[in-house]
Amino acid sequence: MALRGMAGFVGGIGGIGAVRSKATICSADGISFHNIGLGSVSLSWTASGSHAYRVVYKSDSNPASFRTVTRSSVILKGLSPGSSYDMSISELDSKKVLSRASFTTMSAEAPESAGAESDKEAEDLPLTELSRLEIRAGTVVECKKHPEADTLYVETIDVGEPEPRTIVSGLVKFMSEEELTGRKVVVLCNLKPRAMRGITSHGMLLCASNDDHSEVDPLSPPEECGNGELITFDGHKSAPIDPGNRATKAFDRVADDLSTNEDGIAQYQVIIDNHSTKANTSQRSLNQA
């Protein structure tokens, strides 16, 4: 059976919520650092309302750079290894500074250890279409019927960000609101936001289905996986890109090679790493898709 609207995961769970060895946060004011690597950092901040934000960052050896984003999270790339950065976040329209912080990226000269060797191996992995996907564990906080569409749910999902995401899914005929509420799910986070009958959906629940799509069930992350943890793929570098058309194209290009095995474990191109079962994403009721 083929999967519809889901991705297969074989690799480990990334370091969301854990700072890598030799990477430090010197200070933080209202900013949560999720993953600091050799040349990138993933972070989010507390915000109220809908705003565009300007993120400015600089180091002693690099001139000031900035990013403009429309949500309260960002991945900064192209940073220098082992460098200290100062940064600020402000509202684009009012120019009001919301938060300031400083951090140090991971050093390329860090002593070799089991963790360092794993990081080095990860840096050597190929950059593929799977690499571009931002797939995270989450929990459905609230689920209710779409006011303008009988077949759609409007879900509020905690994926470890300051504010829960709104996601619209066509799951009404497959499960009740009570069955979805409180459930651990797997979310594709960097699709381009899409208006669905007047409500903007910021992502997609990843699900498995049988051949005729009469049964559809959301994937479930491992029980020990916290909200916001990044799910990665064995043999593929993890390098999620910003939400938009490019991420949507990346998912479309890999979707046909995604499936679940006889144990309900999501996989890509039927490649299973028996040593990574702890990180595999499970699917509750369908044995194979």
Side-chain angles (χ1 to χ4, degrees):
M1 297 187 288
L3 283 173
R4 299 285 295 179
M6 65 82 57
F9 320 117
V10 182
I13 294 176
I16 294 305
V19 180
R20 286 183 178 183
S21 173
K22 298 300 180 180
T24 60
I25 302 170
C26 299
S27 63
D29 178 15
I31 299 176
S32 298
F33 288 85
H34 302 297
N35 190 23
I36 301 179
L38 283 168
S40 65
V41 58
S42 172
L43 57 102
S44 60
W45 56 93
T46 304
S48 59
S50 299
H51 298 280
Y53 303 93
R54 182 182 178 92
V55 181
V56 180
Y57 52 101
K58 63 179 179 178
S59 69
D60 292 339
S61 58
N62 294 278
S65 301
F66 70 91
R67 289 282 308 279
T68 299
V69 295
T70 56
R71 61 173 180 160
S72 56
S73 62
V74 70
I75 300 173
L76 303 178
K77 301 178 181 179
L79 307 179
S80 299
S83 297
S84 297
Y85 283 82
D86 295 317
M87 64 172 296
S88 65
I89 299 169
S90 58
E91 293 180 356
L92 190 62
D93 50 359
S94 68
K95 299 183 180 179
K96 175 185 176 181
V97 176
L98 302 177
S99 303
R100 299 181 186 275
S102 60
F103 62 90
T104 301
T105 53
M106 181 178 174
S107 173
E109 289 77 28
E112 289 295 332
S113 64
E117 289 175 3
S118 297
D119 289 334
K120 183 177 179 181
E121 290 174 1
E123 292 294 331
D124 293 337
L125 291 173
L127 181 67
T128 66
E129 294 296 343
L130 286 177
S131 305
R132 306 179 196 279
L133 302 181
E134 181 184 353
I135 300 171
R136 298 188 184 275
T139 300
V140 179
V141 178
E142 183 182 25
C143 177
K144 57 186 178 181
K145 288 280 190 69
H146 193 301
E148 302 295 332
D150 293 338
T151 61
L152 300 178
Y153 281 135
V154 180
E155 301 126 4
T156 302
I157 302 179
D158 180 359
V159 289
E161 297 170 326
E163 297 293 332
R165 285 182 180 237
T166 297
I167 292 181
V168 181
S169 301
L171 294 172
V172 170
K173 65 179 181 179
F174 303 110
M175 55 183 48
S176 67
E177 296 171 47
E178 291 75 19
E179 287 176 308
L180 265 177
T181 302
R183 178 163 176 169
K184 296 282 290 184
V185 292
V186 177
V187 181
L188 180 54
C189 292
N190 60 341
L191 296 179
K192 182 179 180 179
R194 176 186 175 192
M196 301 181 70
R197 301 294 293 273
I199 296 179
T200 301
S201 181
H202 296 273
M204 179 172 66
L205 287 189
L206 302 182
C207 302
S209 75
N210 58 1
D211 284 333
D212 61 7
H213 312 305
S214 60
E215 296 180 74
V216 175
D217 198 28
L219 294 178
S220 300
E223 292 183 4
E224 69 274 14
C225 189
N227 292 339
E229 288 207 62
L230 186 66
I231 297 174
T232 60
F233 301 78
D234 188 52
H236 300 262
K237 180 181 293 186
S238 178
I241 59 178
D242 290 338
N245 288 328
R246 183 63 185 88
T248 301
K249 289 180 180 178
F251 178 74
D252 289 342
R253 290 171 180 173
V254 302
D256 287 344
D257 289 323
L258 304 169
S259 63
T260 57
N261 65 15
E262 63 275 5
D263 296 319
I265 303 299
Q267 58 191 18
Y268 176 64
Q269 293 182 336
V270 200
I271 298 173
I272 304 174
D273 178 11
N274 292 328
H275 300 289
S276 300
T277 54
K278 180 180 178 181
N280 286 346
T281 302
S282 64
Q283 189 278 339
R284 291 187 177 181
S285 63
L286 300 182
N287 287 329
Q288 190 170 0

